[in-house]
Amino acid sequence: MSKVTVVGSGNWGSVAAKLIASNTLRLKNFNDEVRMWVFEETLPGGEKLTEVINQTNENVKYLPGIKLGKNVIADPNLENAVKDADMLVFVSPHQFMEGICKLLVGKIKDGAEGISLIKGMEVKKEGPCMISTLISNQLGINCSVLMGANIANEIAMEKFSEATVGYSQHKEVAERWVQLFTTPYFIVTAVNDVEGVELCGTLKNIVAIAAGFVDGLEMGNNTKAAIMRLGLKEMMAFSKLLFPSVKDSTFFESCGVADLITTCMGGRNRKVAEAYARNGGKRSFEELEEELLKGQKLQGVLTAKEVYEVLSHHGWLEMFPLFSSVNLISQGRLPPSAIVEHSDNKSRCLYTRKFGNSSL
Amino acid sequence: MSKVTVVGSGNWGSVAAKLIASNTLRLKNFNDEVRMWVFEETLPGGEKLTEVINQTNENVKYLPGIKLGKNVIADPNLENAVKDADMLVFVSPHQFMEGICKLLVGKIKDGAEGISLIKGMEVKKEGPCMISTLISNQLGINCSVLMGANIANEIAMEKFSEATVGYSQHKEVAERWVQLFTTPYFIVTAVNDVEGVELCGTLKNIVAIAAGFVDGLEMGNNTKAAIMRLGLKEMMAFSKLLFPSVKDSTFFESCGVADLITTCMGGRNRKVAEAYARNGGKRSFEELEEELLKGQKLQGVLTAKEVYEVLSHHGWLEMFPLFSSVNLISQGRLPPSAIVEHSDNKSRCLYTRKFGNSSL
């Protein structure tokens, strides 16, 4: 019987614990108890967050109003939370993962399996720092990923949704993750393409910025759909240049086209980019981010900048007119309207020649 | 020098004539003049529509306010309009095509090439009646198609957009069509998959109905994205069952994912389906169609019914839970909420087994 621990207890982490807890109760091959590591906080009333979660069965701070299941046990002690776990679900903010991994070295069970639900890797000049790779390398365990069109609050309310597990080696492992997460309203599919799935979760944020520009310029649904499609193709092309093993089919999964749609329709990247274009680029992203997101952080602008450096480093800029434009616009080096003017003949030709129909 | 005739002069036909006319003037291998066959009408003031178009350069009835180009000549005489044409652009309402073809038999130039911009073929039990095939068979000419995320009025205003040419045999022919339609704001790509491209233009309307149900039920972006993705996969699967030559990559083109996005965001199918779900299925589609569309017709409900018959005939219903549900819901045999309940284990399993990742 596998024991499961969720490392992280924010909004998405709490929803993940809820999904998992409903399955460990139901399925014989999992231990009922789901341990959830909680970064301890003292609530305004003076109580400890973990104590309140364990008493009320709710994460009152990050997912109020939703019962997690009585078999979810909040644990403020990271080492204790992971020590017996056979399956580790990583779902903390990405900037904390390096620190968490360091604390976990040597503390986890032999043969444990990991899965990362964390979107938003860094993309360095040498290539992207996949969070699954970080976990895998630091802890010496196999690490899959789960991504998709997953707005945590909607899943918490049990609205129908889907997700994709990306795995690298063992199909049986992927099937166990699928079992652990699937519910009647949350359908999970596994694909043998961990890099493709994880890259989708990061690159989509660049496209969402582009979609936001189109919204701000009031260019209509046609243009927005065209920009989303071009973005999807650049996501595929970029992923395949970095990892030739990446599969086109991954982009038809929830982690690909569906997450892209959700992110370009709602989502904070789109929202701030829309405001940026409405202001004609005269107010900076930092300023709008502060005003509109109240402390939450934008991923897309940073990712666009990082990806631009990779493209520039390899001489690939002309093949990625959309990714390039998003960066140049958000840095104030091009006006927002440039998002649809990147299609000058030269780059378009190069682009089509390289990634047009023949590449598919 | 090729002569071009546009057969049809509605909203989309007029925009097509405008796009084409800007290119025949610019490119040496086309005759400047673009002839546009207009079904003659007498306007409220007593003038003939063709005369007004030729005097004002505007289709005052179907695309007011937009100059078509002085080289567009409206012609009320079908036979005269087509007799010298080397390239025939078909863009009349689909229910008129059979009649038009009959009138054209023996009247067109040897070696002429056709292209259909008409969305909405019928799907009969024996399979779909492709409009390109109808034209091709009736007139004995080769016929390509052009489809995409193309809201006519947005393209008329020169907002950035894309389209896909589907061709069956000669790449050079497709390239000529691409040349004829491409402008700096309208980017056209050719794919060797006429059936795939044409089927996209019809099947997307079923998915738009599903998306409308999700909107009416207020299920959020997550669910909507999931439904659109499942719809896209059923579009692929259905097309490939009917025509094994259909390519997955076609669904990444403008005719596929981009047109699907536009249609599921705006669009009349989505709109009426939303109203249907909001009313809990208590008011019929016919009633809502009349109230909301004021004379325009819904494609999606009819297509869903036709496709259902094909699925039923072949015993494929369980493999297409979304397509099936759309029909059963719009016929009042299931409640709108069934759109997300089609994912019961049995059909989902079958579906995944048959069209999951392995098929891609």
Side-chain angles (χ1 to χ4, degrees):
Chain A
M1 287 213 302
S2 300
K3 289 197 81 169
V4 185
T5 292
V6 179
V7 178
S9 57
N11 189 229
W12 186 208
S14 303
V15 176
K18 174 182 188 281
L19 288 168
I20 292 167
S22 73
N23 283 324
T24 55
L25 278 188
R26 196 176 55 83
L27 299 168
K28 293 208 179 74
N29 47 339
F30 297 99
N31 193 305
D32 284 358
E33 182 186 299
V34 177
R35 210 151 264 267
M36 178 168 78
W37 172 62
V38 176
F39 182 82
E40 189 68 290
E41 299 181 47
T42 306
L43 297 174
E47 321 93 313
K48 299 277 181 210
L49 179 57
T50 51
E51 288 166 13
V52 177
I53 294 174
N54 288 332
Q55 279 153 24
T56 64
N57 235 254
E58 267 181 54
N59 186 336
V60 289
K61 179 146 187 193
Y62 296 105
L63 191 65
I66 303 287
K67 294 287 174 200
L68 301 180
K70 287 191 177 151
N71 50 329
V72 175
I73 308 298
D75 188 337
N77 183 323
L78 180 60
E79 202 172 309
N80 189 58
V82 301
K83 73 176 194 304
D84 299 324
D86 305 289
M87 300 176 83
L88 289 158
V89 178
F90 294 97
V91 59
S92 68
H94 72 121
Q95 61 272 28
F96 300 151
M97 266 321 292
E98 214 166 322
I100 290 173
C101 280
K102 280 197 183 126
L103 293 172
L104 289 182
V105 173
K107 312 289 185 193
I108 59 173
K109 225 171 139 172
D110 275 353
E113 284 281 337
I115 195 165
S116 165
L117 276 55
I118 304 161
K119 290 178 181 175
M121 71 187 86
E122 276 177 76
V123 183
K124 296 191 180 157
K125 243 186 214 155
E126 316 77 64
C129 302
M130 317 289 281
I131 291 167
S132 58
T133 310
L134 170 77
I135 294 169
S136 197
N137 290 348
Q138 296 269 319
L139 305 183
I141 62 174
N142 184 36
C143 189
S144 307
V145 297
L146 181 143
M147 306 273 148
N150 298 330
I151 299 169
N153 286 326
E154 295 186 7
I155 301 168
M157 289 185 286
E158 307 196 356
K159 291 187 171 174
F160 178 76
S161 181
E162 296 186 303
T164 313
V165 163
Y167 68 99
S168 60
Q169 293 174 45
H170 306 295
K171 196 159 185 211
E172 318 79 67
V173 173
E175 276 164 3
R176 240 177 334 137
W177 289 119
V178 168
Q179 252 198 327
L180 190 63
F181 280 97
T182 300
T183 72
Y185 59 89
F186 191 70
I187 308 295
V188 184
T189 309
V191 300
N192 184 3
D193 182 4
V194 66
E195 289 89 1
V197 175
E198 193 169 346
L199 278 163
C200 278
T202 295
L203 297 175
K204 60 157 194 176
N205 289 326
I206 307 180
V207 189
I209 299 270
F213 292 151
V214 173
D215 285 344
L217 296 165
E218 296 182 6
M219 307 197 75
N221 282 338
N222 249 3
T223 305
K224 188 165 172 181
I227 290 295
M228 287 165 68
R229 185 195 86 82
L230 287 168
L232 185 64
K233 289 202 85 172
E234 291 196 12
M235 286 166 60
M236 287 169 67
F238 184 72
S239 303
K240 288 166 76 174
L241 275 175
L242 295 181
F243 298 96
S245 64
V246 166
K247 295 172 181 161
D248 286 341
S249 57
T250 298
F251 297 81
F252 281 125
E253 296 298 333
S254 177
C255 63
V257 65
D259 197 11
L260 183 72
I261 291 170
T262 306
T263 311
C264 291
M265 291 303 141
R268 59 183 102 142
N269 289 286
R270 191 212 62 78
K271 188 176 174 183
V272 179
E274 181 183 4
Y276 185 81
R278 275 197 202 286
N279 286 291
K282 285 188 194 103
R283 296 180 63 195
S284 73
F285 263 94
E286 291 74 24
E287 193 186 335
L288 293 164
E289 188 177 348
E290 184 128 343
E291 182 178 310
L292 296 170
L293 301 186
K294 299 175 179 83
Q296 283 194 297
K297 283 289 168 194
L298 268 195
Q299 293 273 311
V301 172
L302 184 61
T303 306
K305 188 164 179 281
E306 292 171 351
V307 166
Y308 190 90
E309 280 162 23
V310 175
L311 296 176
S312 169
H313 178 73
H314 287 97
W316 295 340
L317 280 172
E318 285 186 327
M319 301 185 304
F320 293 89
L322 189 131
F323 282 1
S324 304
S325 302
V326 167
N327 179 53
L328 295 173
I329 296 167
S330 54
Q331 302 301 324
R333 291 162 61 190
L334 282 177
S337 60
I339 196 64
V340 292
E341 287 153 14
H342 62 73
S343 59
D344 61 274
N345 285 337
K346 195 171 147 226
S347 64
R348 177 65 52 189
C349 279
L350 270 165
Y351 179 74
T352 310
R353 212 174 299 145
K354 183 100 190 171
F355 297 111
N357 321 303
S358 56
S359 80
L360 287 164
Chain B
M1 288 213 299
S2 300
K3 288 196 84 170
V4 185
T5 292
V6 179
V7 178
S9 57
N11 190 229
W12 185 206
S14 303
V15 176
K18 175 183 187 277
L19 288 168
I20 292 167
S22 73
N23 284 323
T24 56
L25 277 188
R26 197 176 54 83
L27 298 167
K28 294 206 178 75
N29 48 338
F30 297 99
N31 193 304
D32 284 359
E33 183 186 298
V34 176
R35 211 152 264 267
M36 178 168 78
W37 172 62
V38 176
F39 182 82
E40 190 67 290
E41 298 182 47
T42 305
L43 298 174
E47 320 94 312
K48 299 279 182 209
L49 179 56
T50 51
E51 287 166 14
V52 177
I53 294 174
N54 289 331
Q55 279 154 23
T56 63
N57 235 255
E58 268 182 52
N59 187 336
V60 291
K61 180 146 187 194
Y62 297 105
L63 190 65
I66 302 287
K67 294 288 174 199
L68 301 180
K70 287 189 177 149
N71 50 328
V72 175
I73 310 296
D75 188 336
N77 182 320
L78 180 60
E79 204 172 308
N80 188 59
V82 302
K83 72 176 194 306
D84 299 324
D86 307 289
M87 299 176 84
L88 289 158
V89 178
F90 295 97
V91 57
S92 67
H94 72 123
Q95 61 272 31
F96 300 152
M97 269 319 293
E98 214 165 324
I100 289 172
C101 281
K102 279 192 185 133
L103 293 171
L104 289 182
V105 172
K107 311 291 185 191
I108 58 171
K109 229 172 136 172
D110 275 354
E113 283 283 334
I115 196 165
S116 164
L117 275 54
I118 303 160
K119 290 177 182 176
M121 70 188 85
E122 276 178 77
V123 183
K124 294 190 180 158
K125 243 185 216 157
E126 316 77 64
C129 301
M130 317 288 279
I131 291 168
S132 59
T133 311
L134 171 77
I135 294 170
S136 197
N137 290 347
Q138 295 269 319
L139 305 183
I141 62 174
N142 184 36
C143 191
S144 307
V145 297
L146 181 142
M147 306 274 149
N150 298 327
I151 299 169
N153 286 327
E154 294 186 7
I155 300 167
M157 289 187 286
E158 307 197 354
K159 290 184 173 176
F160 179 76
S161 180
E162 296 186 304
T164 313
V165 163
Y167 68 99
S168 59
Q169 293 174 43
H170 305 295
K171 196 160 186 211
E172 318 78 68
V173 173
E175 276 165 2
R176 239 177 335 136
W177 288 119
V178 168
Q179 253 197 325
L180 190 62
F181 280 97
T182 300
T183 71
Y185 58 89
F186 192 70
I187 308 296
V188 184
T189 310
V191 300
N192 184 3
D193 182 4
V194 67
E195 288 89 1
V197 175
E198 194 169 346
L199 278 162
C200 280
T202 296
L203 298 175
K204 61 159 193 175
N205 288 326
I206 307 179
V207 188
I209 300 270
F213 293 151
V214 173
D215 285 344
L217 296 165
E218 297 182 6
M219 307 196 75
N221 282 337
N222 248 3
T223 305
K224 188 163 174 182
I227 290 296
M228 288 166 68
R229 186 195 86 82
L230 287 168
L232 186 64
K233 290 201 85 172
E234 291 195 14
M235 286 167 61
M236 287 170 66
F238 185 72
S239 303
K240 288 165 75 173
L241 275 175
L242 295 181
F243 298 95
S245 63
V246 166
K247 295 172 181 160
D248 287 340
S249 57
T250 298
F251 297 81
F252 281 125
E253 296 298 332
S254 177
C255 63
V257 64
D259 197 11
L260 182 72
I261 291 171
T262 305
T263 311
C264 290
M265 293 300 140
R268 58 184 101 141
N269 289 286
R270 191 212 61 79
K271 187 177 174 180
V272 179
E274 180 182 4
Y276 185 83
R278 276 197 200 285
N279 286 290
K282 286 189 193 103
R283 298 180 62 195
S284 74
F285 264 94
E286 292 73 23
E287 193 186 335
L288 293 165
E289 188 176 348
E290 185 129 342
E291 182 177 309
L292 296 170
L293 302 185
K294 301 175 179 81
Q296 284 192 297
K297 284 287 167 196
L298 266 196
Q299 292 274 313
V301 171
L302 184 60
T303 306
K305 187 165 179 284
E306 292 171 352
V307 166
Y308 189 90
E309 280 162 22
V310 176
L311 296 177
S312 169
H313 178 73
H314 288 96
W316 296 339
L317 279 173
E318 285 186 328
M319 301 185 304
F320 293 88
L322 188 132
F323 282 1
S324 306
S325 303
V326 167
N327 179 54
L328 296 173
I329 296 167
S330 54
Q331 302 301 323
R333 291 162 62 191
L334 282 177
S337 59
I339 196 62
V340 293
E341 287 153 15
H342 62 74
S343 57
D344 62 273
N345 284 339
K346 193 171 150 225
S347 65
R348 177 66 52 187
C349 279
L350 271 165
Y351 179 76
T352 310
R353 211 174 301 144
K354 182 101 191 172
F355 297 111
N357 321 305
S358 56
S359 80
L360 287 165

